Amino acid sequence: MADEVKIDSQTFQTRLSTLTQAWKTDRRSTDALFGGVGSIVVLMGKNEEAASYHKNNAMHYWLLGYEFPATLMVFTPDALWVVTTTKKAKHLEPLKGGKIPIEVLSRSKDPEQNAKQFERCLELIKSSGKKVGILAKDTAAGPFAEEWKKAYGDMAKDFEEVDITPALSIAALAVKDETELRNMRDSARASTGIMTEFFVEEMSEVLDEEKKVTHKQLSDKIDQKLDDPKFFQNLKSKLAADFDSQQLDWIYGPVVQSGGTYDLKLTAQSDENNLHAGTIIAGLGLRYKSYSSMVARTYLVDPNEAQESNYKLLLSVHEAIIKEAREGVAIKDLYNKAISVIKSSKRPELEKHFVKTVGGGIGLETKDIVLAINAKNTRVLKDGMTLYIFTGFTDIENRQPQDKKSKTYSLLVADTIRIRRDQDPAVFTNGAASDTGSVCFFFKDEEEEAQPKKQSKKDPKVGAVAASNITKTKLRAERPGQVDEGAEARRREHQKELAQRKQQEGLATYSEAVGDENGVAQKKFKKFESYKRDNQFPSKVKDLAIVVDEKASTIVLPIMGRPVPFHIQTVKNASKTDEGEFAFLRINFLSPGQGVGRKDDQPFEDPTAHFVRSLTFRSRDVERMDSIADQITNLRKNAVRREQEKKELEDVVEQDKLTEVRNRKPQRLENVFVRPAMDGKRITGEVEIHQNGLRYIDHRGSKIDVLFSNVKHLFFQPCTHELIVIIHVHLKNPIMIGKKKAKDVQFYREATDMQFDETGNRKRKHRYGDEEEFEQEQEERRRRAQLDKLFKRFAEEVQQAARDEGWGVDIPFRELGFNGVPNRSNVFMQPTADCLVQLTEPPFTVLTLDEIEVAHLERVQFGLKNFDMVFVFKDFHRPPVHINTIPVESLEPVKEWLDSINIAYSEGPLNLNWSTIMKTITADPHEFFADGGWSFLAAESDDEDAAEEEEESAFEMSDSELAVSDESSEDESDFDDDASADEGSAASDESAGEDWDELEKKAKKKDRETGLEEEDSGGRKRKR
């Protein structure tokens, strides 16, 4: 174990300098923080297993990254003296030689020598001044600690002791650097992952199935998850690539409380009472690489209005505290802000139920009381500090209790945050939702809805036909009437909440100090080696001729009388030209700054070095130059092809071996086809369920193994409205099937019976007409139902065999489906509980909904028959997925579906250039979210609406004009009414016995009498 200890010397020197610099600054000013001490003593006794660290443990981990038992540290503003054992001293020796001198004294078995070492330390303390800083709550124990305390006690009367605990908290431990923040973020993500992806699921199952499970049993189940590395690998809240679950440990809980008995202290424990379907409080905290985080949530089962109202108040208090926590704010102001929110609410009497302390500092220590958030703490927050916010109401009386255990209840919400400069704090635990929609569970309402309701009487004039005309019309003129204004307003409000949540999550995830290099994936410099030794050169190089070595992928060129090898990856291209009797061979090499092209961003080890950009060779042997140019070109093509194949297969994994069932026959599904087909041939086979995976074997003996650990989703699609029944497996990592990689494996059987004879069997000779056709339809339905039942049962057996993997059978909802073009052909897309899929035609489409960041609807404008939908993933390096040419009749159902699964969506009239947008985002995600994030998508549609309103408003009139026009319109309407009445009466009189010719003669005669014809003929020619 000792050989594994490696102390980061640079981190040690940096942090020690930070402490001493703060100490010196305080001494030059008022000595307010360090109390004017000349030395600080930090004593570490024997190693003790404890859930939380004390100041002495924390100082060891902060400086060294490890805990060194039986060690004494004496700090002065200019030096550090350490007394420890010989083995530990070896690890401290490399720390010498820094800016601050370090003296390491190694203890031995000689008591006199050990006593002299303590005497030297006491002399150092004495020479540094009368005041010495100590830890008031010194918990050090053991022989080493007792020996020091005895030596120190003899001279204690000469010193003035000062409690240095607050100074070490503020000057050393409170403000975290980048490494510390990253560890805290990983700790928080692991905590929220256990809370949301395990506890909530377990709790829901217990409540739904009405199981009798105690709080202690549930806590033990959560505790056991810490030993399950697969759980943390599959978390939806992504952890760092180098995350090591073995370094996790509990610092708080896990604690589960319900049934009227609640303890909101960090020392609370789960009792032996059964989980009660009422108010459930769950809290837990983890330490990762010595840095802690905690999260707590209250879950309300069938709450009444008062409980919901009180929880909403608690949530508003919690959010107000977090929003108030900024650099430069006094800690007591956070508590006072909480009290002011309660007093100004509709329930000011809840102030007496409010907790006295709403959090404190967190990091190496679980609970830093120096930063306790209460009404008296005057310390000021700084950028980089981390706090836990612990907001709660205790023992509230429930005036409408559901049962005896619901007469009193408590509420608690806890989060871990990081203070930032000039902006809201980053909430590390925001992955665990705390809004009422996420923490309230309603089981009684579902039971009531399941009961049959009395149908209200309807107007007989409004029947099914009228309803279908409104909701299912395909006439574009009637489409605006389909929009349910109430539903649209509800969606709009919900989408605003989702957009705000996405913005907050983005700012927290890609904060300046916490982001993973702002999400930019840097290309790495590649080195290529042609030959390791001189004797590996081809023998032809002795002739000082150009040699193309295909085996080593190298071109050997004669330069200055020496053969110089160039790997083909350094060659850009080669060309040959003829001039007279000579042939010129020009070889161009890759180098920085060659202009626009794919290789323009290729990294180089030293871009400022000198590069050979091209070489030209002249020869009279034209044919040889032709041959060499062709060889170089072919070698380059082969190298590029190999690189592409390697890149394409880099995400293919080597699966573990399938563990076959030995003691019994495996469960199997026979006569099924597989897609993609092996060797491109469509042959039936059978699927078998083994201990850790599935095996497909065709009639030739070829096998495909799919391990349960590599399965991401399992789908069953019945043959209703389809020609095939499907069991579809979507994998986490691709596997090789034949010579191609595949991320989807599908087992299917055709639903139609091709062997059925429809032309001349015996039944047909004796039955005619509709009777036989009806019988065939009945048989077809029966066969399809049997196939669905067979495949569904097999899928459930697969789920049961892989019950430890955490996935189940997902079935598409056909009623929510819509047509679209995800690849090249128009297919029917169907949502499932966790995905959006198309499983009927290859290439298949499987989109995991939890991986989607936002959705954008394109080409949404009046007059178009279709629109497009784009899904942007949370992994911004992953290209967005487009589903094109969706019928506009599906617009409202698609919006409703996206809103129901809490996916933020926007819409616009045009198609966007998503490759450019994603490059901008991945270049600097923090700047993207700081500038408003995805709000630019919503702004585009808002601008379009505004433009339409401006066009319409261009024809508006003023009030005075409108009044004049009303008067004139009234006059005109009077005249028109009279005129229409005259015309109507004349027409009725004349049309009684006269035809058209007679009427036309009368009209001409009347024109001549009035002189109208002369005016018309004089002014213009009459049109006939």
Side-chain angles (χ1 to χ4, degrees), residues 34-131:
F34 284 82
V37 300
S39 59
I40 299 173
V41 176
V42 177
L43 175 64
M44 192 72 192
K46 65 180 181 180
N47 191 13
E48 294 182 357
E49 292 291 335
S52 60
Y53 292 156
H54 299 287
K55 277 289 183 292
N56 50 2
N57 309 77
M59 286 300 296
H60 275 245
Y61 278 107
W62 186 66
L63 286 171
L64 306 174
Y66 300 91
E67 181 182 297
F68 278 23
T71 300
L72 173 69
M73 289 184 175
V74 180
F75 297 84
T76 68
D78 302 311
L80 169 62
W81 283 37
V82 183
V83 181
T84 188
T85 61
T86 305
K87 287 185 178 180
K88 299 186 188 76
K90 290 180 181 178
H91 299 299
L92 298 176
E93 287 295 331
L95 303 180
K96 292 182 177 180
K99 184 178 179 181
I100 298 173
I102 301 173
E103 184 71 24
V104 181
L105 304 178
S106 302
R107 288 173 60 82
S108 63
K109 295 182 180 180
D110 185 0
E112 293 183 3
Q113 184 180 351
N114 294 341
K116 288 181 180 179
Q117 291 175 349
F118 282 155
E119 288 177 6
R120 291 181 62 186
C121 291
L122 291 170
E123 288 296 327
L124 175 66
I125 295 172
K126 191 174 182 179
S127 63
S128 300
K130 266 196 169 186
K131 291 187 177 182

Side-chain angles (χ1 to χ4, degrees), residues 322-485:
I322 292 177
K323 195 170 184 179
E324 186 75 10
R326 293 171 177 264
E327 185 180 34
V329 175
I331 292 178
K332 66 177 183 179
D333 292 343
L334 303 185
Y335 191 85
N336 294 334
K337 179 68 175 179
I339 296 298
S340 66
V341 173
I342 298 173
K343 286 183 176 180
S344 61
S345 69
K346 296 180 180 179
R347 297 291 306 276
E349 66 274 11
L350 288 178
E351 182 185 352
K352 63 183 180 182
H353 298 280
F354 193 60
V355 292
K356 303 303 179 185
T357 302
V358 292
I362 192 171
L364 286 167
E365 294 179 279
T366 305
K367 180 181 178 182
D368 190 350
I369 58 174
V370 175
L371 299 177
I373 305 175
N374 52 40
K376 299 179 181 179
N377 197 337
T378 58
R379 302 193 185 280
V380 177
L381 298 177
K382 296 180 181 179
D383 180 24
M385 285 184 173
T386 51
L387 308 173
Y388 71 95
I389 307 299
F390 206 78
T391 316
F393 291 128
T394 59
D395 300 328
I396 306 174
E397 181 185 356
N398 187 3
R399 296 178 181 176
Q400 297 176 338
Q402 294 89 338
D403 48 44
K404 293 181 180 179
K405 293 185 176 181
S406 301
K407 290 182 179 180
T408 59
Y409 64 96
S410 298
L411 301 173
L412 174 65
V413 179
D415 281 300
T416 303
I417 68 170
R418 175 245 164 144
I419 306 301
R420 295 191 289 190
R421 183 180 289 112
D422 299 331
Q423 56 181 319
D424 291 342
V427 183
F428 287 154
T429 50
N430 62 355
S434 57
D435 58 287
T436 52
S438 300
V439 302
C440 293
F441 296 83
F442 296 93
F443 292 99
K444 290 183 180 178
D445 290 353
E446 293 177 3
E447 294 171 4
E448 291 170 3
E449 288 175 6
Q451 297 175 359
K453 297 181 180 180
K454 293 182 179 179
Q455 294 184 354
S456 59
K457 295 182 179 180
K458 295 183 179 180
D459 186 352
K461 295 180 181 179
V462 182
V465 176
S468 64
N469 286 340
I470 294 171
T471 59
K472 296 182 180 179
T473 178
K474 293 188 177 181
L475 300 177
R476 280 180 287 171
E478 297 182 20
R479 280 180 197 146
Q482 296 180 36
V483 180
D484 186 346
E485 296 297 336

Side-chain angles (χ1 to χ4, degrees), residues 18 59 177 227 267 324 333 388 434 454 474 482 522 547 570 599 613 643 794 881 916 958 1020:
T18 301
M59 286 300 296
D177 59 25
D227 302 322
T267 55
E324 186 75 10
D333 292 343
Y388 71 95
S434 57
K454 293 182 179 179
K474 293 188 177 181
Q482 296 180 36
Q522 299 291 338
V547 179
T570 65
K599 300 295 180 182
R613 181 159 288 185
E643 281 292 317
F794 187 80
V881 169
T916 304
S958 64
R1020 61 182 183 276

Side-chain angles (χ1 to χ4, degrees), residues 788-808:
D788 287 345
K789 184 177 179 182
L790 177 66
F791 270 67
K792 185 177 182 181
R793 184 171 66 246
F794 187 80
E796 290 171 348
E797 289 170 353
V798 174
Q799 176 187 347
Q800 181 64 21
R803 54 186 174 276
D804 296 333
E805 296 296 333
W807 44 261

Side-chain angles (χ1 to χ4, degrees), residues 914-963:
W914 285 100
S915 60
T916 304
I917 293 172
M918 298 313 296
K919 283 180 181 178
T920 305
I921 296 173
T922 53
D924 191 348
H926 170 74
E927 183 180 355
F928 170 73
F929 283 103
D931 292 342
W934 300 108
S935 59
F936 79 95
L937 294 175
E940 180 192 0
S941 58
D942 293 343
D943 293 343
E944 182 69 18
D945 295 340
E948 291 179 2
E949 290 175 4
E950 288 176 4
E951 291 176 4
E952 293 173 1
S953 63
F955 298 98
E956 293 179 358
M957 294 188 292
S958 64
D959 294 339
S960 59
E961 291 174 340
L962 185 61

